[in-house]
């Protein structure tokens, strides 16, 4: 039985798909039992990809092929060959890998190069923000510590203001905040209340700072005044007293009123510091270096100094500025030592090693601001100006002197009224001081 389809035989030589010996190709034969289905719609095909030609460094260059792409290049065809382009993470043209770098001007894959100019700008901006934040917070911290307890608005019949700024600087024997051990160590005694131990006028103007000591034994007249606490008016009766008695009678307001009345100079700001605060400031900056020309001792103040340069701690500094009985000039010599010491303190405190060192700056500011008593209108800016004006006294920019004295009456020192008047005129006009204390 023949199993082959119609018109087919089992002769394998006649099977479809085998070639023939004819010179012409065999045409397709019909297969009746197979029906052709219509072809589905053809989707548009993407253009064939252009062959990726490896760089010359890998030994292939279509420009040197004798066939294929090199024979008849299409003007619109891009072989991808680029002598300056680096592919992937390869290195130079010698075909060796070289990290992320490539040929000059080539595109480098991976992380872009850092923008250092932008980073520097952002770093500088961040630094400015931090500095401003620290400065502002420090300002408010320091401002909150100032004790603005003196109201100069209560002072009556005040002189006219002149040029420059006048500070009344007072060192009191206040023992507030001191323990019994501190009082014993600093030899302050245990007297109640407080009295003025030193008084100075600091004039800060365009002609340089001038520091004028007012001896506490100065003979002055107590004028009419308004009670700082009671608000009651007290008429002047021509009483002649020592200057420090004005402070003891009615505090800072009466002291300012008495100084203005007896000098004719308007006081713009008031600053007071007690024994304990003075010693703390000195210790906070690590002591004050001072050149003592002559050795001296004083049992009452506890002073015991040899001649020459030495660094004084808080306890020694307080003894130095309080000593009076060891000197022939008594209170006048003491005021000169006080001026010398305060100028040295200011000069050695206002240094970069203190200002830019927070471990030194904040303890110093804290020690000083905790014990300072100032007037209600005193700002940190004005206080800073006073501090640097004090420093200028020893920097050759200013003058230090005692108020001119003409003689004594009993144990009181009498001011030279003519010289005092000339001195005040020069200060009010912000002129160079030519008046001498003798």
């Amino acid at each position: 039985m023949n199993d082959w389809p119609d018109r087919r035989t089992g002769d394998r030589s006649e099977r479809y798909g085998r070639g023939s010996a004819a010179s012409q190709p065999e045409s397709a034969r019909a297969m009746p039992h197979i029906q052709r289905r219509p072809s589905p719609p053809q989707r548009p095909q993407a253009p064939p990809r252009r062959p990726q030609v490896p760089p010359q460094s890998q030994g292939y260059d279509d420009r040197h092929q004798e066939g294929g792409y090199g024979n008849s290049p299409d003007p619109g065809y891009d072989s991808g060959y680029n002598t300056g382009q680096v592919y992937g993470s390869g290195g130079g043209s010698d075909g060796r890998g070289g990290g992320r770098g490539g040929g000059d001007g080539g595109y480098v894959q991976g992380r872009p190069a850092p923008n250092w100019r932008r980073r520097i700008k952002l770093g500088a901006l961040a630094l400015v923000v931090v500095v401003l934040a620290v400065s502002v917070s420090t300002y408010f911290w320091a401002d909150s510590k100032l004790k603005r307890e003196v109201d100069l608005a209560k002072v009556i019949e005040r002189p006219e203001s002149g040029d420059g700024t006048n500070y009344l600087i007072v060192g009191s024997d206040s023992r507030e905040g001191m323990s019994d051990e501190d009082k014993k160590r600093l030899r302050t005694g245990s007297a109640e209340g407080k009295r003025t131990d030193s008084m100075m006028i600091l004039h800060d103007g365009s002609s340089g700072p001038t520091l004028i000591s007012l001896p506490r034994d100065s003979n002055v007249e107590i004028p009419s005044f308004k009670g700082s606490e009671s608000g009651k008016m007290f008429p002047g009766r021509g009483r002649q007293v020592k200057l420090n008695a004005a402070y003891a009678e009615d505090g800072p307001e009466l002291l300012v009123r008495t100084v203005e009345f007896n000098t004719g100079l308007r006081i713009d700001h008031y600053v007071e510091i007690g024994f304990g605060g003075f010693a703390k400031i000195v210790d906070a900056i690590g002591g004050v270096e001072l050149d003592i020309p002559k050795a001296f001792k004083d049992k009452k103040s506890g002073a015991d100094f040899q001649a020459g340069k030495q660094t004084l701690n808080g306890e020694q500094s307080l003894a130095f500025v309080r000593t009076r009985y060891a000197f022939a000039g008594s209170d006048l010599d003491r005021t000169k030592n006080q001026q010398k010491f305060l100028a040295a303190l200011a000069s050695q405190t206002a240094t970069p090693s203190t200002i830019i060192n927070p471990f030194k700056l904040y303890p110093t500011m804290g020690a000083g601001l905790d014990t300072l008593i100032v007037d209600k209108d005193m700002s940190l800016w004005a206080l800073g100006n006073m501090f640097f004006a004090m420093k200028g006294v020893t920097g050759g920019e200013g003058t230090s002197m005692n108020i001119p004295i003409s003689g004594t009456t009993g144990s009181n020192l009498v001011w030279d009224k003519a010289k005092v008047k000339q001195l005040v005129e020069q200060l009010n006009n912000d002129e160079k001081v030519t008046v001498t204390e003798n």
Side-chain angles (χ1 to χ4, degrees):
M1 179 178 177
N2 187 356
D3 293 332
W4 292 94
D6 188 25
R7 294 165 55 178
R8 304 285 173 97
T9 67
D11 188 356
R12 303 179 85 127
S13 63
E14 294 180 0
R15 286 183 301 173
Y16 179 79
R18 299 285 294 184
S20 68
S23 60
Q24 296 297 327
E26 183 181 4
S27 59
R29 296 178 181 179
M31 300 182 72
H33 68 288
I34 299 177
Q35 296 182 359
R36 299 191 179 212
R37 297 178 181 177
S39 300
Q42 298 293 323
R43 295 182 182 178
Q45 296 183 356
R49 292 185 179 180
R50 293 173 182 172
Q52 297 295 322
V53 181
Q56 183 179 0
S57 61
Q58 296 185 11
Y60 185 93
D61 189 347
D62 64 345
R63 294 175 300 175
H64 300 289
Q65 297 287 331
E66 294 184 356
Y69 307 111
N71 285 343
S72 56
D74 186 352
Y77 171 71
D78 181 6
S79 68
Y81 178 82
N82 187 336
T83 58
Q85 181 169 350
V86 178
Y87 293 82
S89 59
S93 61
D94 60 355
R96 292 176 297 179
R100 293 177 181 171
D104 294 341
Y107 173 77
V108 181
Q109 292 184 354
R111 183 181 300 175
N115 189 336
W116 289 108
R117 181 177 296 179
R118 183 171 181 269
R119 290 188 179 186
I120 291 173
K121 287 182 179 180
L122 291 176
L125 179 61
L127 179 61
V128 170
V129 171
V130 170
V131 170
L132 286 176
V134 171
S135 300
V136 171
S137 60
T138 298
Y139 178 89
F140 285 105
W141 167 78
D143 188 74
S144 66
K145 283 185 169 292
L146 277 180
K147 298 179 180 179
R148 296 182 173 92
E149 299 177 359
V150 180
D151 189 359
L152 296 183
K154 295 179 179 179
V155 181
I156 64 173
E157 301 176 15
R158 310 194 66 187
E160 293 293 329
S161 295
D163 295 331
T165 305
N166 300 313
Y167 302 85
L168 181 59
I169 304 171
V170 175
S172 75
D173 63 0
S174 171
R175 298 156 178 84
E176 182 179 355
M178 295 175 63
S179 65
D180 292 338
E181 183 180 346
D182 290 335
K183 293 176 184 177
K184 183 178 180 180
R185 177 175 58 87
L186 299 176
R187 296 174 183 258
T188 63
S190 301
E192 296 297 328
K194 58 181 181 179
R195 287 155 292 278
T196 53
D197 205 59
S198 61
M199 290 159 283
M200 303 178 189
I201 294 174
L202 175 64
H203 173 82
D204 184 22
S206 58
S207 297
T210 302
L211 185 62
I212 307 163
S213 286
L214 308 176
R216 70 177 190 174
D217 292 340
S218 297
N219 191 78
V220 295
E221 178 182 342
I222 297 293
S224 59
F225 67 96
K226 182 179 181 180
S228 59
E229 297 294 336
S230 65
K232 181 180 177 181
M233 290 297 301
F234 294 89
R237 297 187 175 88
R239 289 184 295 138
Q240 302 289 318
V241 298
K242 292 182 178 182
L243 182 58
N244 64 345
Y247 183 95
E249 186 172 336
D250 197 50
E253 287 84 2
L254 180 54
L255 177 61
V256 171
R257 166 67 173 142
T258 302
V259 170
E260 289 186 343
F261 178 81
N262 285 270
T263 62
L265 185 70
R266 186 184 180 96
I267 300 299
D268 299 299
H269 292 293
Y270 178 91
V271 181
E272 177 186 327
I273 187 169
F275 283 162
F278 181 82
K280 286 180 181 178
I281 293 175
V282 175
D283 287 335
I285 66 169
V288 174
E289 186 180 61
L290 208 62
D291 188 1
I292 300 177
K294 186 178 179 181
F296 65 89
K297 287 185 178 183
D298 182 19
K299 290 184 178 180
K300 290 191 175 182
S301 67
D304 186 1
F305 298 104
Q306 300 298 317
K309 285 187 177 181
Q310 49 205 289
T311 300
L312 279 57
N313 60 24
E315 179 181 348
Q316 294 169 326
S317 300
L318 188 57
F320 181 83
V321 299
R322 293 182 62 210
T323 299
R324 60 183 300 192
Y325 297 106
F327 308 125
S330 188
D331 204 30
L332 291 176
D333 286 341
R334 179 172 71 166
T335 56
K336 292 179 180 179
N337 279 345
Q338 290 171 347
Q339 290 179 346
K340 180 178 181 179
F341 184 87
L342 289 179
L345 174 64
S347 179
Q348 294 173 41
T349 302
T351 60
S353 62
T354 298
I355 295 175
I356 66 176
N357 183 356
F359 298 102
K360 202 170 183 180
L361 175 64
Y362 285 97
T364 302
M365 292 180 64
L369 296 174
D370 279 342
T371 56
L372 281 181
I373 297 175
V374 299
D375 64 273
K376 292 183 179 297
D377 295 327
M378 175 71 83
S379 66
L380 283 177
W381 180 260
L383 189 62
N385 286 340
M386 182 202 80
F387 189 76
F388 282 98
M390 183 78 74
K391 178 182 178 181
V393 171
T394 56
E397 305 170 6
T399 304
S400 62
M401 59 184 294
N402 280 321
I403 197 162
I405 303 295
S406 61
T408 61
T409 174
S411 60
N412 295 358
L413 299 172
V414 178
W415 293 355
D416 187 326
K417 293 185 178 180
K419 283 190 173 184
V420 170
K421 182 179 179 181
Q422 183 184 0
L423 173 63
V424 170
E425 287 178 354
Q426 290 178 346
L427 295 177
N428 278 332
N429 295 328
D430 208 6
E431 299 172 353
K432 185 71 176 178
V433 172
T434 59
V435 176
T436 59
E437 58 186 79
N438 298 322

